[in-house]
């Protein structure tokens, strides 16, 4: 059973991730993953494994956006959770990336994420994310 | 009183709906409604009553989008709940439909939904939805 | 500790705010603030203090949008809460303003809000908001 506390902690973790990645704090973003966390983007054939690679990925992608004059915002909605077993949860969500430049704001892209979260030492963390681009 | 469990179950139900309708699973979408559920769009003068009509509506609207080369995402935010009586809840929410094509993503339309939910055999379901287009 | 009840009440308060401001109900929007609540937009060099100024600000900004033929929707996501002390919470969130006209819907602007909430007579209210435009 996913308790109300678990559920709210996980929902908040998505918010923490967005603020971290869009704020250029790759370390805080990587810290939302388990030590052996994996981020996989089949559409980009990219995989980041472990916190060092995860941090580098977040910093590079945010840095590249800023270099183009774009402020990204990762807008996450439609989070649905299913328990796999005690301490392991599968999640699906929509992730819309907004990009704002001097010209204005637009929807940069629409993604669906499939996540697995685990409870490690009492806290929920992402173990695996697969990103699918519409 | 709407308990925290009720509230989180209802919030999740909106997520389940979005994934179902955008994934072309009309049956799963219809299953979020009570057997006698009603979906009403005054702007389109459309009413679907009961799960068969609801399923057909969801499949047709998603099918029509795909036929135009569009992947829809129903982004729901601003959900506010008010108890009518024990086991009956009124909800208001924003529903933004994003459409993604080979050319990119855009806001297709902005809607407000007014819902009534009922608890049936321990689970929350939609009994009535009215959709208003901005 | 922020209880699950506190958290859900605060999340809902953001929804109440959006429906109030976009529905032109400046009084309901101002009522989500404490009596001495402050709204500050450094980018616009605007500050509203107390419920009268808050109500006037909400009514004017919505009225101006309607006069231009625009229906605004304040879409709030990525809400992250941190307790400052018992009865005081710091919040960060994304606020995307959608504007719909006869021509269609678009992202008008992308904001980040930094809020402080207080519990007054058992209910959570905004004491201070700072708005940052991307």
């Amino acid at each position: 059973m996913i308790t109300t506390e678990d559920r709210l902690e996980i929902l908040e973790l998505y918010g923490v991730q967005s603020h971290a990645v869009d704020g250029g704090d790759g370390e805080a973003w990587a810290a939302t993953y388990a030590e052996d966390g994996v981020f996989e983007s089949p559409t980009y054939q990219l995989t980041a494994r472990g916190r060092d690679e995860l941090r580098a990925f977040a910093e590079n992608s945010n840095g590249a956006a800023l270099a183009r004059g774009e402020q990204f915002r990762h807008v996450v909605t439609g989070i649905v959770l299913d328990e796999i077993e005690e301490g392991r949860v599968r999640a699906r969500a929509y992730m819309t990336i907004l990009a704002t430049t001097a010209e204005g704001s637009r929807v940069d892209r629409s993604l669906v994420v499939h996540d697995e979260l685990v409870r490690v030492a009492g806290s929920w963390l992402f173990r695996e994310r697969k990103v699918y681009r519409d």
Side-chain angles (χ1 to χ4, degrees), chain A residues 110-124:
Chain A
S110 169
L111 310 167
V112 176
V113 295
H114 288 187
D115 293 327
E116 189 186 318
L117 295 111
V118 286
R119 197 168 40 211
V120 180
S123 295
W124 287 95

Side-chain angles (χ1 to χ4, degrees), chain A residues 16-26 28-29 57-59 61-63 71-72 74:
Chain A
V16 168
Q17 273 203 330
S18 293
H19 289 275
V21 70
D22 298 329
D25 190 346
W29 188 77
F57 165 70
E59 287 169 357
S61 67
N62 190 60
Q71 172 66 59
F72 274 173
H74 287 69

Side-chain angles (χ1 to χ4, degrees), chain A residues 5-6 9-10 24 36 38-39 43 81-83 87-88 93 99 105 129 132 134:
Chain A
E5 286 77 11
D6 289 338
E9 184 185 330
I10 292 171
D36 60 349
V38 179
F39 175 96
T43 47
L81 307 183
D82 290 294
E83 189 173 50
R88 282 179 69 205
S105 295
R129 166 165 296 168
Y132 301 92
D134 278 349

Side-chain angles (χ1 to χ4, degrees), chain A residues 30-52:
Chain A
T32 65
Y33 281 86
E35 293 284 356
D36 60 349
V38 179
F39 175 96
E40 223 179 293
S41 170
T43 47
Y44 290 108
Q45 299 185 285
L46 170 116
T47 302
R49 290 177 191 281
R51 287 188 175 162
D52 286 349

Side-chain angles (χ1 to χ4, degrees), chain A residues 56-91:
Chain A
F57 165 70
E59 287 169 357
N60 290 342
S61 67
N62 190 60
L66 290 180
R68 290 192 303 271
E70 293 186 311
Q71 172 66 59
F72 274 173
R73 296 291 168 200
H74 287 69
V75 170
V76 178
T77 59
I79 302 168
V80 174
L81 307 183
D82 290 294
E83 189 173 50
I84 303 169
E85 61 184 16
E86 168 65 22
R88 282 179 69 205
V89 162
R90 185 170 291 123

